[in-house]
Amino acid sequence: MTAMARLVLLYFLLWVGVTVSTAVDLQKRIIGGDDCDKADRLYHVKLRATDGTRTSLCGGSLIADQWVLTAAHCWKPGRTMYADVNVHPGEKLETMVITTHKIYEEHNKKHDIMLLKLPQNPQHIHKIPPPDCTTDLQLTNTFQAAGHGCDAVDGANAFLKHCPLTLQCVNLPVVNCQPIKAVLTSSYPNIPYPNLFCAQAQDKETAPGDSGGGVVYNDKIYGIVLGGHPTHAFQEPCEFLRVCPYMTWINSTISSNP
């Protein structure tokens, strides 16, 4: 697939969604993952945006008592967004309706990062600590991503199957983005290239359903899932957004919106 063809498909998936026969618009999900340990990823939030007919799925991470960090393209105007908190392992699941969202914007250009405010504190709060930005993710570092993922893709139609209800975890090594730099700079023109990073591993990838999920390294959140190829998995690196460049905005947003 040419870079231009991939770019067109990526835009379509990120901003419109892939409509399947079950009326679910799938964003990004884990491929080749394993069930997360029941004591792990307690901060993971499952996000569902629905208009009663279509539902889009994303992930997020609880980073403060009432604040979820996720990807901006998970917000669907005209739909109601639900946050399933304590979705993993599920015994203390709480579902809340999101009414407040904040998207990072610089020079009138929105970046693909968003904060969602829960209407109240969850009864059980499990937060992921912020990154240590004195040492951001480097090449060859291996991090963990997670989502309610599928383990197979139906080729040309990008329909996903074998999608378990249990949260899936996958370990991925950071790789050089250079092979897809042109695609990244075209796909994310508002985001400085150094704010992006890539990962690639054999038979493992982020895929439709996982956008916004947390990238965790040394038990801290260092990034969020942006993409992965829906029909040509494993052939190219998948892309992520660094959290460190946005920590000033994150802290300011949370402190100014108690």
Side-chain angles (χ1 to χ4, degrees), residues 157-184:
N157 295 319
F159 292 171
L160 301 182
K161 51 189 178 180
H162 307 158
C163 305
L165 296 177
T166 54
L167 188 66
Q168 301 288 288
C169 283
V170 65
N171 294 322
L172 295 168
V174 179
V175 300
N176 199 317
C177 289
Q178 190 63 35
I180 61 168
K181 182 176 180 179
V183 173
L184 291 181

Side-chain angles (χ1 to χ4, degrees), residues 7-254:
L7 172 59
V8 171
L9 181 58
L10 179 61
Y11 270 133
F12 177 76
L13 291 175
L14 290 180
W15 301 109
V16 179
V18 180
T19 302
V20 298
S21 58
T22 55
V24 176
D25 295 339
L26 299 164
Q27 297 298 330
K28 299 290 170 195
R29 286 188 178 173
I30 295 297
I31 298 175
D34 298 307
D35 289 353
C36 297
D37 186 87
K38 287 189 176 182
D40 198 12
R41 289 273 175 172
L42 303 183
Y43 48 82
H44 185 84
V45 179
K46 184 178 181 180
L47 300 171
R48 299 173 288 118
T50 182
D51 60 7
T53 302
R54 298 170 299 165
T55 299
S56 61
L57 305 177
C58 275
S61 302
L62 192 69
I63 61 169
D65 290 355
Q66 289 181 245
W67 289 93
V68 177
L69 183 66
T70 186
H73 71 261
C74 293
W75 186 260
K76 303 295 184 183
R79 301 189 191 184
T80 301
M81 177 168 278
Y82 296 91
D84 294 329
V85 187
N86 293 308
V87 67
H88 178 73
E91 291 91 344
K92 300 174 182 178
L93 174 67
E94 295 179 68
T95 299
M96 304 183 190
V97 177
I98 299 295
T99 58
T100 301
H101 73 288
K102 305 288 185 180
I103 296 176
Y104 180 86
E105 188 172 331
E106 185 176 19
H107 305 306
N108 296 318
K109 296 180 178 180
K110 293 182 178 180
H111 293 204
D112 202 353
I113 184 169
M114 175 172 64
L115 285 166
L116 304 173
K117 188 176 183 182
L118 302 175
Q120 67 269 344
N121 287 356
Q123 294 183 15
H124 303 278
I125 297 174
H126 301 282
K127 296 177 287 188
I128 177 72
D132 176 4
C133 293
T134 61
T135 54
D136 206 342
L137 281 177
Q138 305 294 323
L139 289 177
T140 73
N141 285 160
T142 296
F143 62 83
Q144 185 192 74
H148 289 86
C150 303
D151 59 14
V153 178
D154 182 11
N157 295 319
F159 292 171
L160 301 182
K161 51 189 178 180
H162 307 158
C163 305
L165 296 177
T166 54
L167 188 66
Q168 301 288 288
C169 283
V170 65
N171 294 322
L172 295 168
V174 179
V175 300
N176 199 317
C177 289
Q178 190 63 35
I180 61 168
K181 182 176 180 179
V183 173
L184 291 181
T185 54
S186 297
S187 301
Y188 306 102
N190 294 349
I191 302 175
Y193 178 69
N195 289 14
L196 301 166
F197 66 100
C198 297
Q200 189 172 25
Q202 184 176 7
D203 298 332
K204 296 180 180 180
E205 187 174 351
T206 54
D210 267 337
S211 286
V215 167
V216 175
Y217 177 70
N218 285 343
D219 298 319
K220 299 178 176 65
I221 185 166
Y222 276 85
I224 59 176
V225 177
L226 290 185
H229 206 286
T231 60
H232 293 69
F234 322 128
Q235 295 182 19
E236 296 176 343
C238 41
E239 57 266 29
F240 305 84
L241 184 69
R242 296 182 186 274
V243 168
C244 282
Y246 302 96
M247 281 308 302
T248 299
W249 170 76
I250 289 171
N251 291 331
S252 174
T253 301
I254 292 174

